[in-house]
Structure formats: structure tokens, C-alpha cells
Amino acid sequence: MNILVSRCLLGFPCRYDGKSTYYGELIEFIERYKNKHNFIGICPEVDGGLPIPRATCEIVNGKVLTINGEDKTKEFIDGANTVVDKATEYFVQVAILKSNSPSCGTGKIYDGNFSNKIINGSGIASKMLSDFGVYVITEEELDKIDYLLSVEE
Ligand code: SF4
């Protein structure tokens, strides 16, 4: 099975601030399954053409804005499209994406006020992947796919 993974969780410094969000539990999970499954790193923001570092963004009234009010919606949609293209190319059914991000967040995202508050919602790439039929979870929900990966080839 081919599985998409947010690249920052794998230790790549592709976040807006030039850092990674290395997630040890996920690395152990991948180690356990890497001989049976193929994990493909994606970063919708960078793959869509945004630089590292870049201004932090949140979804505000349906648009993606930087903290200074610049509209980056197009870049985020372009990035989400690159991820859906990858899902198509590799017949991806599952994605593990970084929680809370305006691109990768799944079920919860920052509230649009740049105040570190979380609300219900999903990032642009996560939503597009879900609409495309991919089962998207966060790095904190690995138990949801543990059994699936253990039985699938
Ligand atoms: Fe990580 Fe996704 Fe943000 Fe890229 S877009 S840095 S993969 S959360």
C-alpha cells in the first residue's frame, strides 16, 4: 500500500519557520511497516511553490492568509493539487498528515486569528485528499490504521 506522509513529520525542515516537526512515534511506526508498505513524503506548501521559511498562514473566511494579510490561497490550492496528483499516480488510499496545519490539518485547524486557538476544520490539502477518497488521519491517530497495515500487503 502507498501511504502519503507530511514531510515535516519525517524530520524534513519544511515548516514555515524552517524547522521540522519530527515525530518519533511515526518514525517507529514506519520502521515497523516499511518492508510491507511504501511511505511517500509530501509537503503541499513547498510542493506548491512556497519558500522555506515563509510567513505563517491560517484559513480566514475561506481564504489562506499570511499573518500580514497576504492572500496565499492560490499557492495552497496549487500545493493541494500536487498532492492529489501524487495520490492518483500512486493509487494512494491512506495519508498521515500533520495536525492543525492550514494545509495538512485534519479535523482540527487554527482558528484564523493567529492566536494558537484550534477549531473544527481541515486544511486545504487534507480536505482535497479526503474529497478525492483518501482516508486521512493525523500523526496522533496511528492506531486507526495499525490493523489495516498489519493485514494488507
Ligand atoms: Fe508539514 Fe504539511 Fe506544513 Fe508541509 S504543509 S510543513 S508537510 S504541515
Side-chain angles (χ1 to χ4, degrees):
M1 186 184 287
N2 289 324
I3 300 159
L4 297 180
V5 184
S6 290
R7 213 180 285 142
C8 59
L9 294 172
L10 301 173
F12 288 87
C14 52
R15 274 172 39 139
Y16 72 95
D17 56 3
K19 296 180 180 164
S20 83
T21 324
Y22 179 87
Y23 196 72
E25 210 177 299
L26 173 63
I27 304 302
E28 284 168 26
F29 186 83
I30 291 174
E31 275 297 314
R32 187 148 28 103
Y33 289 117
K34 70 179 185 194
N35 293 331
K36 279 176 83 174
H37 301 288
N38 185 27
F39 295 86
I40 303 164
I42 48 126
C43 177
E45 292 173 26
V46 172
D47 296 347
L50 289 170
I52 306 168
R54 55 192 173 276
T56 182
C57 288
E58 293 194 10
I59 299 175
V60 184
N61 298 327
K63 290 183 178 173
V64 185
L65 303 182
T66 69
I67 194 164
N68 300 318
E70 255 184 287
D71 190 342
K72 297 291 178 187
T73 309
K74 181 186 178 302
E75 286 85 343
F76 272 64
I77 290 174
D78 286 351
N81 277 321
T82 69
V83 171
V84 171
D85 286 349
K86 199 153 269 185
T88 308
E89 184 181 350
Y90 291 98
F91 303 100
V92 168
Q93 292 164 289
V94 176
I96 305 165
L97 301 187
K98 170 75 186 71
S99 54
N100 305 337
S101 147
S103 286
C104 293
T106 301
K108 304 270 182 205
I109 52 171
Y110 290 111
D111 74 349
N113 289 310
F114 297 92
S115 58
N116 268 332
K117 287 205 187 105
I118 301 292
I119 55 169
N120 291 334
S122 289
I124 306 291
S126 168
K127 174 149 184 8
M128 224 184 258
L129 276 176
S130 290
D131 290 348
F132 184 66
V134 173
Y135 179 51
V136 184
I137 64 164
T138 76
E139 74 278 16
E140 289 155 5
E141 300 173 316
L142 298 175
D143 55 315
K144 288 187 173 176
I145 58 167
D146 201 12
Y147 178 71
L148 178 68
L149 268 58
S150 70
V151 294
E152 285 261 342
E153 287 301 323

